[in-house]
Amino acid sequence: MKKQLTIIVAISLLFNACINSFEKEEKEVDSLLELVDGAEEVLLSIDTAKVFTVVRDIKKELWDFGNKYDTLDKEAAFKVADYYTNKKSLYFLHKNYLTFKNEIALARTQLSALKQDLHNGAITKEKFLEYYKTEQEIIVALNDKINNAVNGIDVSVDKLIEEKPAILSLLDKYRKDTAVANE
């Protein structure tokens, strides 16, 4: 009986040691999940309806602009160029928004699987470190891409919305002046 009790205690201690040995790794995975949550929070903080409407309007305006105006005088050209300065960052966010959301979902899935593998004892600590490092690099890069894409978007959108009437008025005046001069 004493021998059986000793074996049970040894197995229990070994089991507890295994569970405790992965606490650090689980905390590391949790910290990556927090980073993913932060990236998602940043991405979801933008008003997509507003941003996507502005992008759609810019594309239409530029199409119309190209069809109506052959040349502008220097002053008008600088004003129009300044107005459309931030379109590249808006286009990038518009184009990559769904990709970012999908990458966030994939990162969560991968981290959950890694955590489950830890619980099940399906991977060694060495393999964990390899997988963790790979996931960490991917998540940090994703976080940086999202932060860079979203940084300043609200300011750009507000500036475009605020200055739109003045630019459209300038272009309409220029179009009318050009039409009168050609008659």
Side-chain angles (χ1 to χ4, degrees):
M1 175 80 170
K2 188 175 181 181
K3 191 174 185 180
Q4 289 175 336
L5 184 61
T6 306
I7 291 174
I8 291 173
V9 169
I11 291 174
S12 296
L13 289 174
L14 182 61
F15 181 72
N16 284 335
C18 288
I19 289 173
N20 290 337
S21 70
F22 288 120
E23 281 182 22
K24 177 184 174 227
E25 286 80 2
E26 285 184 28
K27 287 180 182 177
E28 290 173 342
V29 172
D30 288 340
S31 72
L32 286 182
L33 281 167
E34 288 175 14
L35 190 58
V36 170
D37 290 343
E40 183 178 44
E41 188 176 311
V42 167
L43 185 64
L44 296 178
S45 71
I46 62 167
D47 183 349
T48 54
K50 192 175 178 182
V51 171
F52 293 174
T53 298
V54 167
V55 168
R56 187 178 57 247
D57 289 349
I58 289 172
K59 288 181 178 183
K60 183 182 181 315
E61 289 165 12
L62 288 174
W63 176 260
D64 292 344
F65 176 77
N67 288 331
K68 293 179 183 174
Y69 307 100
D70 296 76
T71 58
L72 294 173
D73 62 49
K74 191 175 183 178
E75 183 181 339
F78 280 127
K79 286 181 183 178
V80 171
D82 184 51
Y83 176 72
Y84 290 114
T85 297
N86 296 323
K87 74 176 174 58
K88 186 175 181 181
S89 62
L90 293 169
Y91 283 7
F92 179 79
L93 179 61
H94 181 264
K95 178 182 176 189
N96 291 291
Y97 185 80
L98 288 177
T99 301
F100 290 152
K101 285 185 73 172
N102 291 336
E103 287 179 12
I104 287 169
L106 178 61
R108 276 203 182 97
T109 300
Q110 292 292 96
L111 291 173
S112 294
L114 185 57
K115 205 171 185 180
Q116 189 62 43
D117 286 346
L118 279 173
H119 281 290
N120 295 339
I123 59 173
T124 63
K125 281 191 177 190
E126 292 77 25
K127 276 293 186 192
F128 168 81
L129 290 174
E130 181 183 322
Y131 296 146
Y132 176 81
K133 183 177 178 177
T134 301
E135 289 302 318
Q136 182 182 35
E137 288 171 0
I138 291 168
I139 291 168
V140 166
L142 175 63
N143 187 49
D144 288 346
K145 283 191 290 187
I146 289 172
N147 282 320
N148 289 335
V150 172
N151 188 24
I153 287 294
D154 289 336
V155 172
S156 296
V157 169
D158 291 343
K159 178 184 175 200
L160 285 164
I161 290 171
E162 181 182 309
E163 294 179 5
K164 183 177 182 173
I167 292 297
L168 292 178
S169 175
L170 170 83
L171 293 174
D172 191 47
K173 179 186 177 305
Y174 191 84
R175 183 179 52 79
K176 288 176 183 173
D177 291 348
T178 305
V180 169
N182 287 336
E183 288 180 1

